[in-house]
Amino acid sequence: TVANLCIAFWECLLSTWMVPQDSRAYMATGNVATCDTQGFIALVTFIVLELSYTILSILYWILVARGWSEKQTQRRQIRFCFLGVPLIIAICIAAPLLVLGNMNFTGAYSCFVEEYPLNCDIDPETNGECTRGHNARTAQEAIFFGVILCTGIILIFMGLLVRAVRAQESASDR
């Protein structure tokens, strides 16, 4: 919930206010530092959300299919895995991207992982010369692959959860 609120505030509510003024974005009043801040927070919360949903699907399966009790899930190790690990992984991914200058205006409504100037790596006018975010496309591909991987894991564990619930219902019907 905190991650959802954070991304709603920093990326959706503040949107183009954080974008540097020299961009063509509507109501852009920010600078490079505000864009870096928005992009970093948006990326961290996005990764935290993806990993939390993935861990939550695994936890639901463990509770139902493996019969764990509430007491077993309240242990500190489980709480750390659910709260701490996604945050640590997200910061470890986003911090290098921030330092390398990959947080730039995306051309839509906020700052995220993008090169600057926009599409400089494929625009013939710039001859592939980017001033910031030289490896942004690679980072975008890695983020996309991570989302696909997390979605696949969620689908697998939700399928296993449905199978376990059906098996329990069949056993109770008998």
Side-chain angles (χ1 to χ4, degrees):
T1 302
V2 171
N4 277 319
L5 290 172
C6 191
I7 203 164
F9 177 76
W10 283 95
E11 190 173 19
C12 300
L13 179 68
L14 295 180
S15 66
T16 57
W17 289 345
M18 305 290 279
V19 174
Q21 291 176 343
D22 62 350
S23 68
R24 289 178 250 145
Y26 177 69
M27 292 178 54
T29 57
N31 54 35
V32 174
T34 59
C35 191
D36 283 345
T37 302
Q38 183 184 39
F40 178 77
I41 292 172
L43 182 58
V44 167
T45 54
F46 179 74
I47 293 170
V48 166
L49 286 170
E50 286 295 321
L51 293 175
S52 295
Y53 291 143
T54 304
I55 292 170
L56 188 61
S57 69
I58 296 168
L59 187 62
Y60 280 150
W61 177 75
I62 288 172
L63 285 169
V64 173
R66 296 293 176 214
W68 274 28
S69 67
E70 283 291 319
K71 188 175 182 180
Q72 287 175 304
T73 61
Q74 296 299 322
R75 292 185 305 188
R76 287 185 184 168
Q77 296 88 354
I78 300 297
R79 286 184 182 181
F80 177 74
C81 287
F82 193 71
L83 298 173
V85 170
L87 186 60
I88 291 169
I89 291 172
I91 291 172
C92 288
I93 292 171
L97 293 176
L98 176 67
V99 171
L100 293 172
N102 285 305
M103 305 302 174
N104 298 297
F105 179 54
T106 62
Y109 64 91
S110 66
C111 298
F112 201 67
V113 179
E114 190 66 60
E115 71 277 342
Y116 180 82
L118 192 60
N119 296 323
C120 62
D121 60 341
I122 57 174
D123 189 5
E125 290 181 18
T126 61
N127 295 322
E129 293 296 320
C130 299
T131 56
R132 286 177 48 96
H134 300 285
N135 56 352
R137 292 279 182 217
T138 306
Q140 289 171 346
E141 291 168 0
I143 292 166
F144 179 75
F145 177 73
V147 169
I148 296 296
L149 181 65
C150 286
T151 303
I153 293 170
I154 290 169
L155 289 173
I156 288 168
F157 278 95
M158 288 296 104
L160 291 171
L161 180 64
V162 168
R163 183 175 167 208
V165 169
R166 281 191 176 187
Q168 288 177 5
E169 284 181 358
S170 296
S172 67
D173 287 345
R174 280 188 242 131

